[in-house]
Amino acid sequence: MRTIKDLDIAGKTVFIRCDFNVPKDEQGNITDDRRIRGALASIRYCLDRECRVILASHYERPTPNVYEEKYSLAPVVTRLHTLLKLASDIVLAKDVVGEDAKAKASALKKGDVLVLENLRYEEGETKNDVNFAKELASMVDIYINDAFGACHRAHASIDAMAKLFDSEHRAAGFLLTKEVNFFEKTLANPIKPFVAVIGGSKVSGKLEALRQLLDKVDKVIIGGGMAFTFLKAQGYEIGNSLVENDLLDEARTVMIKARKKGVKFYLPVDVVVAPKFEEYSTSKYLPSQEIPSDWMGLDIGPASSRLFREVLYDAQTILWNGPMGVYEWDRFAKGSLLMSHDIAGSHATTIVGGGDTADVAQKAGDVDEMTFVSTGGGASLNLLEGKALPGIEALKA
Ligand code: AMP
């Protein structure tokens, strides 16, 4: 995979596919701009070489052809301007490949930055439509993919468009290169003991990654909603906790495989339970074996946090994907925050993957203490599963 440094881009018009799909609050304020900051290196590199820069990204899932304002990239443009500290304005096109975008693209001067509107306003984006990709490509000389978080999707700006450029005119940006190198190098040769901490809501989304990891890790810690499928598979009463009954056999198979391989497999020994799935519901700590039949587990308990800290004690590499509980609600966030502190405070190489997990590390104030926080949840999971990412394959094609 070529990187932006391998291309002759000076003075050219460069398209950079970014991942500006950032979280916002109810008022539309950006709550975490890591993905925007992640794109700055490639943008600055182009601006230093007097390029005309066209940036494009999707934002959430608008209905195609309906230009609803809440899906506009306008707040991203404002934040980008602040972060880039440019004297000139960054222009936002009113459309993606329409008259306004094309007029603004052809009016660009050296050192100008244009942001196209949300790529998913056009239905050709998710359909990987070649004609839409050609419209995008017609505006530029060079294609750069710096959207790690979108590389697991074969969409037009990720796949079809990349294939329209030859290897002298397309490459990976700095962020994409860093993400891929980090995962590949760390996972190819992890320093041991290697511990995987897996949480989040469902086993199903992470089952394949978990299977693959069993071949590499020394220990696995399971938390979050997915722990209850494993606890139930062991015969425990889990009340109304989240469970995937169709995966009980799979869960058993994973635990048997772990035992056969000598991988230590840790489940929560206690949980924070509540009678209802509500933010301010009453709650109490109970051993995992004593969950009342009409209550549900929404976080790991203090004994589990202590146990998991011991398990992490000698780790040299830690991979963390998925919160330990419903961390969005303060009452059930403690297990996730303590896990974040324990991982950040370790002497291991620490890799945090997944939007929610990065969010926990951010809330805990631990992001700077982690070795690497990935900007892509689904994409990093696919890499762990050993799957090829369409966005990376397209750059090699
Ligand atoms: P995932 O997208 O699979 O990584 O899951 C993240 C989500 O899992 C977060 O929104 C958490 O609120 C949720 N979660 C974690 N633990 C639990 C639990 N015990 N019960 C229900 N949801 C949970």
Side-chain angles (χ1 to χ4, degrees):
M1 192 171 71
R2 305 195 92 190
T3 74
I4 189 168
K5 278 190 174 171
D6 301 322
L7 305 188
D8 174 16
I9 60 164
K12 305 257 171 67
T13 305
V14 181
F15 177 96
I16 310 179
R17 176 40 161 115
C18 303
D19 179 7
F20 291 149
N21 192 20
V22 288
K24 290 191 214 154
D25 63 18
E26 292 92 45
Q27 287 80 40
N29 304 303
I30 294 170
T31 52
D32 178 3
D33 63 6
R34 273 180 322 113
R35 286 179 164 178
I36 305 177
R37 283 186 276 121
L40 297 180
S42 294
I43 300 172
R44 286 200 180 110
Y45 184 83
C46 294
L47 293 177
D48 288 348
R49 281 151 189 80
E50 298 197 308
C51 297
R52 296 164 178 84
V53 180
I54 299 185
L55 306 176
S57 173
H58 70 286
Y59 178 68
E60 292 189 347
R61 294 164 194 261
T63 312
N65 304 321
V66 182
Y67 278 58
E68 265 185 280
E69 205 187 326
K70 65 176 176 177
Y71 297 116
S72 169
L73 288 176
V76 169
V77 171
T78 309
R79 182 63 60 94
L80 195 57
H81 190 257
T82 310
L83 293 170
L84 276 173
K85 301 190 181 91
L86 290 180
S88 58
D89 279 346
I90 296 176
V91 181
L92 174 65
K94 291 197 183 96
D95 46 29
V96 188
V97 288
E99 261 177 42
D100 190 66
K102 288 198 173 146
K104 284 176 174 157
S106 54
L108 285 175
K109 295 193 279 303
K110 286 178 181 174
D112 281 349
V113 179
L114 168 69
V115 180
L116 304 180
E117 253 305 357
N118 188 345
L119 287 163
R120 289 195 190 162
Y121 281 152
E122 290 285 330
E123 65 181 344
E125 170 63 0
T126 50
K127 294 199 164 141
N128 202 14
D129 181 68
V130 178
N131 290 327
F132 172 60
K134 282 183 181 163
E135 296 267 4
L136 288 170
S138 71
M139 293 189 261
V140 295
D141 309 309
I142 303 278
Y143 170 87
I144 301 296
N145 183 346
D146 215 12
F148 176 68
C151 272
H152 57 309
R153 300 216 166 87
H155 289 174
S157 63
I158 295 286
D159 181 48
M161 186 177 177
K163 291 175 179 159
L164 297 172
F165 293 79
D166 63 29
S167 59
E168 296 300 317
H169 296 88
R170 67 159 184 233
F174 291 114
L175 177 64
L176 177 56
T177 309
K178 188 168 131 192
E179 295 260 9
V180 173
N181 282 349
F182 213 95
F183 272 98
E184 283 183 350
K185 282 193 189 131
T186 312
L187 293 177
N189 267 318
I191 305 173
K192 298 200 150 219
F194 180 11
V195 185
V197 181
I198 311 288
S201 55
K202 288 185 180 163
V203 183
S204 48
K206 291 178 187 162
L207 189 61
E208 193 46 44
L210 196 52
R211 277 205 203 101
Q212 297 291 329
L213 281 169
L214 286 182
D215 292 328
K216 300 199 170 85
V217 298
D218 302 287
K219 313 182 196 185
V220 176
I221 293 173
I222 302 279
M226 65 189 289
F228 297 101
T229 300
F230 289 98
L231 288 171
K232 184 164 181 183
Q234 291 191 333
Y236 293 162
E237 167 68 73
I238 56 154
N240 292 328
S241 307
L242 208 63
V243 67
E244 285 167 285
N245 284 315
D246 51 335
L247 288 181
L248 292 176
D249 282 341
E250 284 287 354
R252 267 178 225 116
T253 312
V254 165
M255 289 187 282
I256 291 167
K257 182 174 172 187
R259 200 175 315 133
K260 279 188 184 150
K261 288 190 153 288
V263 174
K264 307 287 183 290
F265 199 88
Y266 295 95
L267 290 168
V269 289
D270 64 343
V271 284
V272 182
V273 290
K276 288 193 196 111
F277 190 76
E278 274 178 11
E279 185 165 4
Y280 299 106
S281 166
T282 28
S283 60
K284 56 184 176 183
Y285 303 128
L286 280 177
S288 302
Q289 301 188 38
E290 295 177 25
I291 302 173
S293 61
D294 49 354
W295 287 51
M296 61 182 73
L298 296 179
D299 194 11
I300 59 171
S304 305
S305 293
R306 212 164 307 137
L307 168 70
F308 294 166
R309 191 184 319 140
E310 294 289 324
V311 173
L312 290 170
Y313 186 69
D314 63 345
Q316 290 295 322
T317 308
I318 303 171
L319 176 84
W320 181 26
N321 189 310
M324 297 290 103
V326 185
Y327 76 96
E328 295 93 335
W329 296 339
D330 288 349
R331 196 163 284 203
F332 308 106
K334 203 156 186 188
S336 300
L337 296 175
L338 286 175
M339 176 56 81
S340 177
H341 294 332
D342 291 339
I343 293 177
S346 75
H347 293 285
T349 298
T350 53
I351 309 159
V352 178
D356 282 325
T357 324
D359 203 19
V360 174
Q362 168 115 341
K363 276 193 177 162
D366 291 329
V367 169
D368 292 341
E369 304 302 318
M370 302 291 185
T371 314
F372 185 68
V373 180
S374 174
T375 56
S380 63
L381 213 52
N382 280 185
L383 280 183
L384 295 179
E385 289 166 358
K387 283 189 189 148
L389 302 186
I392 290 161
E393 295 307 298
L395 289 177
K396 294 179 186 161

PDB file of all heavy atoms in Angstrom, residues 15 56 94 100 114 130 148 160 175 181 191 219 247 259 283 286 320-321 345 374 381 394:
ATOM      1  N   PHE A  15      -7.939  14.870  -3.506  1.00  0.00           N
ATOM      2  CA  PHE A  15      -9.150  14.459  -2.796  1.00  0.00           C
ATOM      3  C   PHE A  15      -8.714  13.649  -1.583  1.00  0.00           C
ATOM      4  O   PHE A  15      -7.944  12.696  -1.714  1.00  0.00           O
ATOM      5  CB  PHE A  15      -9.988  13.581  -3.746  1.00  0.00           C
ATOM      6  CG  PHE A  15     -11.242  13.005  -3.140  1.00  0.00           C
ATOM      7  CD1 PHE A  15     -12.466  13.631  -3.315  1.00  0.00           C
ATOM      8  CD2 PHE A  15     -11.204  11.802  -2.436  1.00  0.00           C
ATOM      9  CE1 PHE A  15     -13.634  13.080  -2.789  1.00  0.00           C
ATOM     10  CE2 PHE A  15     -12.362  11.252  -1.900  1.00  0.00           C
ATOM     11  CZ  PHE A  15     -13.580  11.891  -2.079  1.00  0.00           C
ATOM     12  N   ALA A  56     -13.771  14.954   1.775  1.00  0.00           N
ATOM     13  CA  ALA A  56     -15.110  14.356   1.715  1.00  0.00           C
ATOM     14  C   ALA A  56     -15.262  13.337   2.822  1.00  0.00           C
ATOM     15  O   ALA A  56     -14.301  12.668   3.209  1.00  0.00           O
ATOM     16  CB  ALA A  56     -15.308  13.680   0.364  1.00  0.00           C
ATOM     17  N   LYS A  94     -22.489  23.124  -1.163  1.00  0.00           N
ATOM     18  CA  LYS A  94     -23.880  22.867  -0.761  1.00  0.00           C
ATOM     19  C   LYS A  94     -24.302  21.453  -1.144  1.00  0.00           C
ATOM     20  O   LYS A  94     -25.318  20.956  -0.680  1.00  0.00           O
ATOM     21  CB  LYS A  94     -24.806  23.859  -1.480  1.00  0.00           C
ATOM     22  CG  LYS A  94     -24.660  25.292  -1.011  1.00  0.00           C
ATOM     23  CD  LYS A  94     -25.884  26.104  -1.453  1.00  0.00           C
ATOM     24  CE  LYS A  94     -25.743  27.550  -1.076  1.00  0.00           C
ATOM     25  NZ  LYS A  94     -25.229  28.403  -2.136  1.00  0.00           N
ATOM     26  N   ASP A 100     -22.920  23.227  -7.404  1.00  0.00           N
ATOM     27  CA  ASP A 100     -22.198  24.047  -6.436  1.00  0.00           C
ATOM     28  C   ASP A 100     -20.819  23.458  -6.127  1.00  0.00           C
ATOM     29  O   ASP A 100     -19.814  24.180  -6.135  1.00  0.00           O
ATOM     30  CB  ASP A 100     -23.020  24.165  -5.148  1.00  0.00           C
ATOM     31  CG  ASP A 100     -22.439  25.204  -4.210  1.00  0.00           C
ATOM     32  OD1 ASP A 100     -22.465  26.404  -4.570  1.00  0.00           O
ATOM     33  OD2 ASP A 100     -21.924  24.819  -3.141  1.00  0.00           O
ATOM     34  N   LEU A 114     -11.642  22.805   0.274  1.00  0.00           N
ATOM     35  CA  LEU A 114     -13.085  22.700   0.028  1.00  0.00           C
ATOM     36  C   LEU A 114     -13.572  21.405   0.686  1.00  0.00           C
ATOM     37  O   LEU A 114     -12.936  20.361   0.544  1.00  0.00           O
ATOM     38  CB  LEU A 114     -13.346  22.643  -1.483  1.00  0.00           C
ATOM     39  CG  LEU A 114     -14.756  22.247  -1.941  1.00  0.00           C
ATOM     40  CD1 LEU A 114     -15.776  23.337  -1.591  1.00  0.00           C
ATOM     41  CD2 LEU A 114     -14.791  21.998  -3.459  1.00  0.00           C
ATOM     42  N   VAL A 130     -20.234   3.340  -9.685  1.00  0.00           N
ATOM     43  CA  VAL A 130     -19.046   3.801 -10.417  1.00  0.00           C
ATOM     44  C   VAL A 130     -19.271   5.187 -11.024  1.00  0.00           C
ATOM     45  O   VAL A 130     -18.356   6.015 -11.056  1.00  0.00           O
ATOM     46  CB  VAL A 130     -18.677   2.786 -11.528  1.00  0.00           C
ATOM     47  CG1 VAL A 130     -17.481   3.267 -12.314  1.00  0.00           C
ATOM     48  CG2 VAL A 130     -18.375   1.443 -10.906  1.00  0.00           C
ATOM     49  N   PHE A 148      -9.850   5.546   7.979  1.00  0.00           N
ATOM     50  CA  PHE A 148      -9.754   4.184   8.499  1.00  0.00           C
ATOM     51  C   PHE A 148     -11.123   3.671   8.967  1.00  0.00           C
ATOM     52  O   PHE A 148     -11.511   2.548   8.676  1.00  0.00           O
ATOM     53  CB  PHE A 148      -8.745   4.118   9.647  1.00  0.00           C
ATOM     54  CG  PHE A 148      -8.669   2.755  10.276  1.00  0.00           C
ATOM     55  CD1 PHE A 148      -8.144   1.691   9.572  1.00  0.00           C
ATOM     56  CD2 PHE A 148      -9.151   2.523  11.562  1.00  0.00           C
ATOM     57  CE1 PHE A 148      -8.095   0.422  10.136  1.00  0.00           C
ATOM     58  CE2 PHE A 148      -9.104   1.267  12.136  1.00  0.00           C
ATOM     59  CZ  PHE A 148      -8.569   0.213  11.417  1.00  0.00           C
ATOM     60  N   ALA A 160     -14.902   2.117  -5.254  1.00  0.00           N
ATOM     61  CA  ALA A 160     -14.979   2.399  -6.701  1.00  0.00           C
ATOM     62  C   ALA A 160     -14.074   3.570  -7.097  1.00  0.00           C
ATOM     63  O   ALA A 160     -13.368   3.513  -8.110  1.00  0.00           O
ATOM     64  CB  ALA A 160     -16.421   2.701  -7.090  1.00  0.00           C
ATOM     65  N   LEU A 175      -3.130   8.922   8.624  1.00  0.00           N
ATOM     66  CA  LEU A 175      -3.926   8.277   9.670  1.00  0.00           C
ATOM     67  C   LEU A 175      -4.193   6.810   9.325  1.00  0.00           C
ATOM     68  O   LEU A 175      -3.999   5.919  10.153  1.00  0.00           O
ATOM     69  CB  LEU A 175      -5.257   9.021   9.856  1.00  0.00           C
ATOM     70  CG  LEU A 175      -6.210   8.405  10.880  1.00  0.00           C
ATOM     71  CD1 LEU A 175      -5.621   8.450  12.285  1.00  0.00           C
ATOM     72  CD2 LEU A 175      -7.561   9.113  10.865  1.00  0.00           C
ATOM     73  N   ASN A 181      -0.704  -0.048  10.229  1.00  0.00           N
ATOM     74  CA  ASN A 181       0.603  -0.499  10.723  1.00  0.00           C
ATOM     75  C   ASN A 181       0.521  -0.934  12.177  1.00  0.00           C
ATOM     76  O   ASN A 181       1.078  -1.951  12.572  1.00  0.00           O
ATOM     77  CB  ASN A 181       1.647   0.618  10.624  1.00  0.00           C
ATOM     78  CG  ASN A 181       2.139   0.757   9.207  1.00  0.00           C
ATOM     79  OD1 ASN A 181       1.860  -0.104   8.373  1.00  0.00           O
ATOM     80  ND2 ASN A 181       2.837   1.835   8.914  1.00  0.00           N
ATOM     81  N   ILE A 191       4.084  -8.542  22.231  1.00  0.00           N
ATOM     82  CA  ILE A 191       4.950  -8.929  23.349  1.00  0.00           C
ATOM     83  C   ILE A 191       4.049  -9.565  24.402  1.00  0.00           C
ATOM     84  O   ILE A 191       2.973  -9.040  24.696  1.00  0.00           O
ATOM     85  CB  ILE A 191       5.699  -7.701  23.920  1.00  0.00           C
ATOM     86  CG1 ILE A 191       6.460  -7.018  22.791  1.00  0.00           C
ATOM     87  CG2 ILE A 191       6.645  -8.108  25.041  1.00  0.00           C
ATOM     88  CD1 ILE A 191       7.100  -5.713  23.183  1.00  0.00           C
ATOM     89  N   LYS A 219      -4.470 -14.302  27.814  1.00  0.00           N
ATOM     90  CA  LYS A 219      -5.632 -14.192  28.708  1.00  0.00           C
ATOM     91  C   LYS A 219      -6.730 -13.393  28.011  1.00  0.00           C
ATOM     92  O   LYS A 219      -6.424 -12.491  27.216  1.00  0.00           O
ATOM     93  CB  LYS A 219      -5.270 -13.431  29.994  1.00  0.00           C
ATOM     94  CG  LYS A 219      -3.993 -13.869  30.679  1.00  0.00           C
ATOM     95  CD  LYS A 219      -3.810 -13.060  31.963  1.00  0.00           C
ATOM     96  CE  LYS A 219      -2.381 -13.176  32.475  1.00  0.00           C
ATOM     97  NZ  LYS A 219      -2.174 -12.522  33.765  1.00  0.00           N
ATOM     98  N   LEU A 247     -26.550 -18.280  20.932  1.00  0.00           N
ATOM     99  CA  LEU A 247     -25.082 -18.390  20.905  1.00  0.00           C
ATOM    100  C   LEU A 247     -24.505 -19.121  22.121  1.00  0.00           C
ATOM    101  O   LEU A 247     -23.296 -19.099  22.347  1.00  0.00           O
ATOM    102  CB  LEU A 247     -24.456 -16.996  20.800  1.00  0.00           C
ATOM    103  CG  LEU A 247     -24.613 -16.303  19.438  1.00  0.00           C
ATOM    104  CD1 LEU A 247     -23.940 -14.943  19.454  1.00  0.00           C
ATOM    105  CD2 LEU A 247     -24.009 -17.154  18.322  1.00  0.00           C
ATOM    106  N   ARG A 259      -9.645 -23.167  27.013  1.00  0.00           N
ATOM    107  CA  ARG A 259      -9.047 -24.099  27.982  1.00  0.00           C
ATOM    108  C   ARG A 259      -8.008 -24.987  27.302  1.00  0.00           C
ATOM    109  O   ARG A 259      -6.907 -25.184  27.790  1.00  0.00           O
ATOM    110  CB  ARG A 259     -10.138 -24.943  28.639  1.00  0.00           C
ATOM    111  CG  ARG A 259      -9.662 -25.555  29.940  1.00  0.00           C
ATOM    112  CD  ARG A 259     -10.779 -26.292  30.674  1.00  0.00           C
ATOM    113  NE  ARG A 259     -12.026 -25.564  30.724  1.00  0.00           N
ATOM    114  CZ  ARG A 259     -13.233 -26.088  30.439  1.00  0.00           C
ATOM    115  NH1 ARG A 259     -13.333 -27.358  30.101  1.00  0.00           N
ATOM    116  NH2 ARG A 259     -14.322 -25.358  30.519  1.00  0.00           N
ATOM    117  N   SER A 283     -30.001   0.158  42.299  1.00  0.00           N
ATOM    118  CA  SER A 283     -29.021  -0.843  41.884  1.00  0.00           C
ATOM    119  C   SER A 283     -28.305  -1.393  43.115  1.00  0.00           C
ATOM    120  O   SER A 283     -28.322  -0.770  44.181  1.00  0.00           O
ATOM    121  CB  SER A 283     -28.003  -0.209  40.934  1.00  0.00           C
ATOM    122  OG  SER A 283     -27.335   0.847  41.584  1.00  0.00           O
ATOM    123  N   LEU A 286     -23.973  -7.659  43.433  1.00  0.00           N
ATOM    124  CA  LEU A 286     -24.216  -9.052  43.833  1.00  0.00           C
ATOM    125  C   LEU A 286     -23.188  -9.952  43.158  1.00  0.00           C
ATOM    126  O   LEU A 286     -22.741  -9.657  42.045  1.00  0.00           O
ATOM    127  CB  LEU A 286     -25.611  -9.494  43.388  1.00  0.00           C
ATOM    128  CG  LEU A 286     -26.807  -9.058  44.240  1.00  0.00           C
ATOM    129  CD1 LEU A 286     -28.092  -9.541  43.594  1.00  0.00           C
ATOM    130  CD2 LEU A 286     -26.683  -9.606  45.665  1.00  0.00           C
ATOM    131  N   TRP A 320      -8.038  -3.611  24.015  1.00  0.00           N
ATOM    132  CA  TRP A 320      -9.331  -3.390  24.688  1.00  0.00           C
ATOM    133  C   TRP A 320     -10.386  -2.989  23.679  1.00  0.00           C
ATOM    134  O   TRP A 320     -10.193  -2.010  22.953  1.00  0.00           O
ATOM    135  CB  TRP A 320      -9.168  -2.318  25.767  1.00  0.00           C
ATOM    136  CG  TRP A 320     -10.425  -2.035  26.533  1.00  0.00           C
ATOM    137  CD1 TRP A 320     -11.471  -2.883  26.733  1.00  0.00           C
ATOM    138  CD2 TRP A 320     -10.759  -0.821  27.215  1.00  0.00           C
ATOM    139  NE1 TRP A 320     -12.443  -2.284  27.502  1.00  0.00           N
ATOM    140  CE2 TRP A 320     -12.040  -1.023  27.803  1.00  0.00           C
ATOM    141  CE3 TRP A 320     -10.109   0.402  27.394  1.00  0.00           C
ATOM    142  CZ2 TRP A 320     -12.675  -0.028  28.553  1.00  0.00           C
ATOM    143  CZ3 TRP A 320     -10.741   1.385  28.142  1.00  0.00           C
ATOM    144  CH2 TRP A 320     -12.012   1.162  28.719  1.00  0.00           C
ATOM    145  N   ASN A 321     -11.462  -3.745  23.647  1.00  0.00           N
ATOM    146  CA  ASN A 321     -12.569  -3.405  22.749  1.00  0.00           C
ATOM    147  C   ASN A 321     -13.898  -3.690  23.451  1.00  0.00           C
ATOM    148  O   ASN A 321     -14.244  -4.843  23.675  1.00  0.00           O
ATOM    149  CB  ASN A 321     -12.455  -4.235  21.455  1.00  0.00           C
ATOM    150  CG  ASN A 321     -13.440  -3.775  20.398  1.00  0.00           C
ATOM    151  OD1 ASN A 321     -14.624  -3.630  20.667  1.00  0.00           O
ATOM    152  ND2 ASN A 321     -12.948  -3.541  19.202  1.00  0.00           N
ATOM    153  N   GLY A 345      -2.826   2.747  33.237  1.00  0.00           N
ATOM    154  CA  GLY A 345      -1.757   2.783  34.236  1.00  0.00           C
ATOM    155  C   GLY A 345      -0.779   1.624  34.113  1.00  0.00           C
ATOM    156  O   GLY A 345       0.217   1.568  34.833  1.00  0.00           O
ATOM    157  N   SER A 374      -7.594   3.703  18.446  1.00  0.00           N
ATOM    158  CA  SER A 374      -8.016   3.638  17.047  1.00  0.00           C
ATOM    159  C   SER A 374      -9.247   4.505  16.810  1.00  0.00           C
ATOM    160  O   SER A 374     -10.082   4.670  17.693  1.00  0.00           O
ATOM    161  CB  SER A 374      -8.337   2.190  16.685  1.00  0.00           C
ATOM    162  OG  SER A 374      -8.862   2.135  15.393  1.00  0.00           O
ATOM    163  N   LEU A 381     -12.212  -4.027  14.290  1.00  0.00           N
ATOM    164  CA  LEU A 381     -12.737  -5.362  14.585  1.00  0.00           C
ATOM    165  C   LEU A 381     -12.510  -6.293  13.393  1.00  0.00           C
ATOM    166  O   LEU A 381     -12.102  -7.447  13.555  1.00  0.00           O
ATOM    167  CB  LEU A 381     -14.232  -5.244  14.885  1.00  0.00           C
ATOM    168  CG  LEU A 381     -14.834  -6.192  15.902  1.00  0.00           C
ATOM    169  CD1 LEU A 381     -14.060  -6.185  17.207  1.00  0.00           C
ATOM    170  CD2 LEU A 381     -16.281  -5.806  16.169  1.00  0.00           C
ATOM    171  N   ALA A 394      -8.670  -1.857  -2.149  1.00  0.00           N
ATOM    172  CA  ALA A 394      -8.831  -0.985  -3.335  1.00  0.00           C
ATOM    173  C   ALA A 394      -7.565  -0.179  -3.603  1.00  0.00           C
ATOM    174  O   ALA A 394      -7.234   0.115  -4.751  1.00  0.00           O
ATOM    175  CB  ALA A 394     -10.026  -0.048  -3.132  1.00  0.00           C
TER     176      ALA A 394
END
